[in-house]
Amino acid sequence: MKIFPKHGLIALQGLSACLKVQRLAFSQGKRPFAAVLIGPDNSKILLTHFSISHVEHAEASLARLAALHFTPEYLWTCALYSTWEPCAMCAATCYWANIGRVVYAASEEKLLELTGKGNEENFTLSWPCKDLFEKGQKDVQIWGSVAGMQEEVVEESDKYWKPIREGKGQ
């Protein structure tokens, strides 16, 4: 497993695009999770997706769509950007779709802090995606969390999670 990317500006552009998709999700009453697939040129947005439900996560849904639209060889040269660290289900789906790079803004650890322990809307797993990818046979490149972007994603996401934490619903 390699750490990606060496060019932080590229990652910030991808994560900024991802955050725009998350804002769209929030405006539609959806959970604050988003993913963007960027092509091998590190700039062309190929697909976007936001979380539809507690089982139809942004990253897994995007990875499945990508696997339908692009060859595994092509996907190996692409990067999936996510506002949050992919959970075990999403990381595994990226792995099986053959997406070669994963970049996320905020950690699953931060998500647990934000949502609160025992939150029925989001039962996080304490299983970092890096650990999952290290168990695989592919050299998936990963980078996250990203300082600066993590704080912005947490702040944006709290608009959704704060009423739930306070028992006021969404």
Side-chain angles (χ1 to χ4, degrees), residues 143-159:
W143 187 35
S145 54
V146 177
M149 287 303 299
Q150 176 167 264
E151 293 77 13
E152 191 172 351
V153 166
V154 168
E155 183 179 320
E156 288 283 331
S157 299
D158 200 35
K159 294 172 187 173

Side-chain angles (χ1 to χ4, degrees), residues 48-67:
T48 66
H49 216 293
F50 52 74
S51 183
I52 303 299
S53 73
H54 68 287
V55 294
E56 295 176 274
H57 296 186
E59 303 90 341
S61 296
L62 186 141
R64 284 187 205 99
L65 276 174

Side-chain angles (χ1 to χ4, degrees), residues 59-120:
E59 303 90 341
S61 296
L62 186 141
R64 284 187 205 99
L65 276 174
L68 291 172
H69 290 281
F70 304 103
T71 67
E73 296 79 19
Y74 184 75
L75 287 175
W76 187 250
T77 66
C78 296
L80 181 138
Y81 288 80
S82 178
T83 48
W84 288 96
E85 179 176 3
C87 71
M89 175 182 69
C90 293
T93 308
C94 291
Y95 179 86
W96 290 112
N98 210 45
I99 296 171
R101 297 174 285 167
V102 175
V103 181
Y104 60 89
S107 70
E108 194 166 18
E109 202 172 72
K110 280 287 182 196
L111 181 61
L112 177 59
E113 288 175 21
L114 183 66
T115 61
K117 195 169 180 97
N119 185 327
E120 292 182 14

Side-chain angles (χ1 to χ4, degrees), residues 15-56:
L15 291 171
S16 292
C18 206
L19 191 54
K20 287 179 185 176
V21 176
Q22 180 174 298
R23 288 181 184 125
L24 174 62
F26 179 74
S27 76
Q28 299 299 307
K30 300 295 182 185
R31 304 162 86 235
F33 300 95
V36 173
L37 184 69
I38 305 284
D41 65 355
N42 293 314
S43 64
K44 184 173 178 115
I45 296 174
L46 302 173
L47 295 169
T48 66
H49 216 293
F50 52 74
S51 183
I52 303 299
S53 73
H54 68 287
V55 294
E56 295 176 274

